[in-house]
Amino acid sequence: SSTVVLATGRHTLAPSRKALLADLLRRGELAPTRELAEVFELGIGSGVEHEHCLYAGQPAWPDETRFSRAARADLVDLGFPSTAAVEAAERIDATGDPFGLGADPGELVVAGTTLFFTDAATRALTADVGVALRRLVRELEPLAGPLPASAAAGVPSSAGFEALELGLEASARRLAGALIDLARGLGVTRIVSESPEALVALHELGEGDLSLVHASEWLAATLPAASPAAAPRDAARIAVLHDSARLGRYMGVFDAPRRVLDGIASIERRELRRSRAAATPSGPTFGFPDADAARAMAGRLLEEAVAAGAELIVTTSPYDRRNLAAVAGRAGIDIRDLLEIVVE
């Protein structure tokens, strides 16, 4: 009933089994072991299991993500964190983000009352997407400029999503808090990011006084209106948009990326069999240790794209782009983030 189970053959990874193990652990009837920690580590996927289980296509059903995330936090508190959590905590302490990249003030741009933030996940997984965002900001925002020198020291590089997923709650709050404090210090009222994961973390860990906007929403409101008579630059490419779980089900943003794509004359957009809130996930987020299983998950979405006759899959999340790029070659399908498509 679960993608992770189907991909790995391990029934202990099903949500109901994880819940049972977590409850036994909570009641002291099961000893915390590294093997148990691995069960929750393999369950990282922010809704992957839910979207492929018996309730697939019924997004109103409860999402088990918050329960499994809380269970991983319990494991951390008990002193039995997953391998991924241990490694991420070490990198966060050393560099400020779980990828070991460290801060780069050039990744943040201020435009009036808006802060454009490129998350460390994007820099690590899909660096070209961050480059595309900054280029578009420079072209479309007259007030865009670098961070003031007084704010450039010690800027955050991660919004805390990966730490939140791994059960590192204190680290997640510290990372998100640093970015929110920076925004307040700059006097901005809005944060725009290409990473829906970063925005979800800020939403869950912040206090709600900042507007959190995905880059697709900013583009839909900022790009000049497309001319109906615009001639395509070349033959239209058949494209499908993959709805990110974090951008779609978590943030409720479905229409903005479609409006942007529909304004590009060289793109013919088609819908996947499963889309919007019922979209098929591309696979796991951070820390998933089974590469073969991750490719098997992404392969299910690839099959939908092939059935739709797609030449191109457009993504809105660095994790989706990473996951799909790992399997797209076998079908000859191109993978691009929405920002890259707009720049092209």
Side-chain angles (χ1 to χ4, degrees):
S1 66
S2 151
T3 291
V4 178
V5 174
L6 293 173
T8 63
R10 296 181 58 179
H11 290 276
T12 53
L13 303 179
S16 57
R17 295 295 182 90
K18 292 204 302 287
L20 173 62
L21 294 173
D23 189 52
L24 291 171
L25 180 66
R26 179 184 63 82
R27 290 189 281 146
E29 298 179 21
L30 189 66
T33 63
R34 180 64 64 187
E35 182 181 10
L36 180 60
E38 186 186 58
V39 168
F40 293 101
E41 180 177 1
L42 281 164
I44 294 173
S46 196
V48 166
E49 299 93 330
H50 168 82
E51 281 295 306
H52 282 291
C53 73
L54 296 174
Y55 304 131
Q58 300 183 52
W61 281 85
D63 184 345
E64 94 294 341
T65 298
R66 287 184 173 85
F67 299 100
S68 56
R69 181 189 291 163
R72 290 191 293 272
D74 286 342
L75 286 170
V76 171
D77 292 342
L78 287 165
F80 284 84
S82 68
T83 301
V86 171
E87 294 175 350
E90 292 173 351
R91 293 192 192 104
I92 290 170
D93 289 341
T95 67
D97 65 77
F99 300 92
L101 298 180
D104 181 356
E107 304 291 338
L108 294 95
V109 179
V110 180
T113 57
T114 299
L115 175 65
F116 290 86
F117 171 70
T118 299
D119 193 76
T122 302
R123 295 167 57 198
L125 303 176
T126 57
D128 289 347
V129 177
V131 173
L133 175 63
R134 291 188 297 280
R135 175 175 170 178
L136 290 168
V137 171
R138 288 194 299 270
E139 293 184 5
L140 298 171
E141 291 285 351
L143 298 178
L147 283 180
S150 59
V155 297
S157 56
S158 170
F161 174 80
E162 292 77 19
L164 187 65
E165 284 284 277
L166 292 167
L168 303 171
E169 291 185 343
S171 295
R173 293 189 182 281
R174 185 171 71 252
L175 294 173
L179 181 55
I180 291 170
D181 288 345
L182 172 67
R184 289 172 177 160
L186 293 169
V188 305
T189 59
R190 180 174 72 158
I191 295 178
V192 176
S193 179
E194 79 300 319
S195 169
E197 291 77 19
L199 297 172
V200 164
L202 293 173
H203 173 74
E204 295 195 16
L205 300 170
E207 298 174 3
D209 59 334
L210 292 170
S211 175
L212 303 173
V213 177
H214 186 256
S216 65
E217 298 176 277
W218 166 70
L219 280 174
T222 306
L223 282 173
S227 169
R233 292 183 295 273
D234 47 32
R237 302 177 73 189
I238 298 173
V240 291
L241 174 73
H242 174 245
D243 289 290
S244 158
R246 270 74 61 188
L247 183 61
R249 288 194 299 109
Y250 285 26
M251 296 180 62
V253 177
F254 298 104
D255 295 330
R258 286 171 169 80
R259 289 201 303 272
V260 174
L261 271 182
D262 291 344
I264 300 175
S266 59
I267 296 290
E268 176 190 333
R269 184 178 63 83
R270 297 180 182 176
E271 288 286 352
L272 290 164
R273 180 179 62 84
R274 288 185 58 186
S275 62
R276 302 182 78 89
T280 300
S282 70
T285 51
F286 183 87
F288 193 82
D290 191 329
D292 289 338
R295 284 190 289 269
M297 295 179 209
R300 301 179 74 171
L301 177 57
L302 186 65
E303 292 171 1
E304 290 186 37
V306 170
E311 306 167 63
L312 169 69
I313 301 177
V314 180
T315 62
T316 54
S317 158
Y319 285 104
D320 291 334
R321 190 180 182 285
R322 185 274 311 266
N323 292 342
L324 291 169
V327 299
R330 70 189 192 211
I333 291 181
D334 196 13
I335 309 296
R336 287 286 185 275
D337 186 89
L338 179 66
L339 302 183
E340 296 176 289
I341 295 295
V342 173
V343 167
E344 290 172 6

